[in-house]
Amino acid sequence: MKRASTALFGMLCMTLLTAGNCSRARVESVNQMNEGVSYAQSKRYVDAVQSLERATAIDPTNDQAFYNLALVHIEMRSFERAKQDLQQAITINGEVAGYYEKLGTVLMQLEDWNGAKEAFEKAIEIDPQLFKAYFKLAQVLEQLEDPQNALRRYTESIEHGPRFLEAYSALGRLYADLGYLDEAAQVLNSGLEVAMPGTEEEASLHHLLGTVYQQQRNFDEAIRHFRAALEIVPGMRDALFSLGWTYALVDNDEEARRYLKKFVDVAGADAPPHYLKAAQDKLGELSVN
């Protein structure tokens, strides 16, 4: 799993005391909480934990202190602790969609897919506009081998966040994996319409769309999109391999050698071994021809 994404410290941390909750304990707790947030913003996570734990001890009903403590534990990759913090925040105040969304994200890190599914569904129930919750729920549903509902949730993520490009990429990729190539192309083209020009996200969409056209044996369109991806990100490893391989499929040996050689040169130690071997084998074949 990729590292869990946390909100910027401070965005949800500054509590305005209301007339109904101005006790001395709450004032002191908020002061400690904000001190902890300041430490977290400076990446002084041990000090942040100490201040935030004091905030929760002074006022055990301060749900935002538990939430911010969870954010620090996520930054420290202490996901079990973060889960406990978020569960406590929810026990205190179960009407905040963001608490459930963050809990689901932590449970994904812990590979508790059923727990994450429940958390994201609750987040959406509270706030139906929370487009990233739909997206993460779809990811969880893929892990639970429920691709049809994953398609639905990715689609809802786009409906509620029409500029959230990760959802277009994921939905297009899943359609392609399931063999719905026309639908995949339609989704990815829709993503390109809203992508910011010249960004890595646009390049990624071009590459994915190229792979769909390659599967459809529409090699001219595949080559066009792979080249478009490389114009934006010249060293894009996946696009170099895909373009070289597609040129080999259309018997353009010179261009196939050119791009597969570039792929091998930039592959690096973390390149998928089977792709590296396939490129090297193909280069060997092309050298003989």
Side-chain angles (χ1 to χ4, degrees):
M1 292 292 299
K2 293 183 179 178
R3 182 174 181 175
S5 174
T6 61
L8 290 176
F9 291 104
M11 291 180 66
L12 293 177
C13 67
M14 301 300 291
T15 300
L16 297 176
L17 302 181
T18 64
N21 194 5
C22 287
S23 69
R24 181 182 296 276
R26 175 50 65 96
V27 172
E28 292 179 1
S29 177
V30 168
N31 288 338
Q32 285 292 322
M33 180 181 72
N34 290 331
E35 180 181 271
V37 168
S38 294
Y39 283 136
Q41 290 171 330
S42 301
K43 301 188 184 301
R44 295 172 57 182
Y45 297 131
V46 173
D47 292 329
V49 167
Q50 290 176 350
S51 292
L52 289 163
E53 285 181 341
R54 282 196 294 270
T56 62
I58 293 168
D59 182 358
T61 68
N62 186 347
D63 52 293
Q64 285 193 336
F66 283 103
Y67 176 76
N68 281 288
L69 183 56
L71 295 186
V72 177
H73 280 138
I74 291 171
E75 289 294 322
M76 299 172 72
R77 302 191 65 76
S78 298
F79 297 115
E80 283 289 351
R81 292 291 304 277
K83 179 180 78 169
Q84 295 168 17
D85 300 330
L86 289 163
Q87 288 172 334
Q88 187 60 38
I90 289 168
T91 297
I92 299 166
N93 183 359
E95 300 303 316
V96 181
Y99 293 175
Y100 289 97
E101 192 273 339
K102 193 61 66 180
L103 176 61
T105 304
V106 168
L107 292 174
M108 289 177 72
Q109 291 290 325
L110 296 172
E111 299 186 1
D112 179 357
W113 306 115
N114 287 308
K117 176 176 179 289
E118 182 179 341
F120 289 130
E121 287 175 340
K122 184 63 176 179
I124 291 167
E125 178 185 329
I126 296 171
D127 182 0
Q129 302 305 314
L130 207 59
F131 61 90
K132 287 188 179 180
Y134 291 99
F135 175 77
K136 293 177 183 179
L137 177 55
Q139 291 180 308
V140 169
L141 290 167
E142 285 199 71
Q143 292 291 334
L144 292 172
E145 300 182 355
D146 186 357
Q148 293 302 320
N149 277 315
L151 289 173
R152 177 169 64 89
R153 294 304 192 175
Y154 281 133
T155 301
E156 289 172 328
S157 178
I158 291 171
E159 290 171 350
H160 293 285
R163 293 192 174 276
F164 184 45
L165 294 182
E166 286 184 67
Y168 291 93
S169 295
L171 180 58
R173 185 261 312 150
L174 182 55
Y175 269 132
D177 289 347
L178 296 172
Y180 304 131
L181 298 180
D182 290 340
E183 289 83 354
Q186 181 180 351
V187 167
L188 295 169
N189 274 306
S190 296
L192 284 173
E193 291 176 5
V194 299
M196 187 74 69
T199 60
E200 290 188 11
E201 289 82 3
E202 183 191 19
S204 178
L205 285 167
H206 276 298
H207 175 255
L208 284 170
L209 189 52
T211 64
V212 171
Y213 285 129
Q214 187 195 71
Q215 290 179 70
Q216 292 180 319
R217 304 191 67 79
N218 186 345
F219 297 128
D220 289 342
E221 278 298 290
I223 288 169
R224 183 173 74 85
H225 283 283
F226 293 143
R227 294 184 71 95
L230 289 169
E231 286 176 8
I232 299 168
V233 184
M236 188 176 184
R237 190 171 61 192
D238 291 347
L240 288 170
F241 176 87
S242 297
L243 182 55
W245 198 264
T246 306
Y247 274 128
L249 291 173
V250 297
D251 297 323
N252 187 333
D253 293 355
E254 181 179 353
E255 290 294 84
R257 281 193 297 267
R258 177 185 172 196
Y259 285 102
L260 289 174
K261 178 65 165 57
K262 285 186 177 183
F263 166 76
V264 171
D265 290 343
V266 304
D270 61 334
H274 58 289
Y275 277 98
L276 186 57
K277 185 178 186 305
Q280 291 169 332
D281 290 348
K282 181 61 70 173
L283 283 169
E285 294 175 16
L286 294 170
S287 297
V288 172
N289 295 337

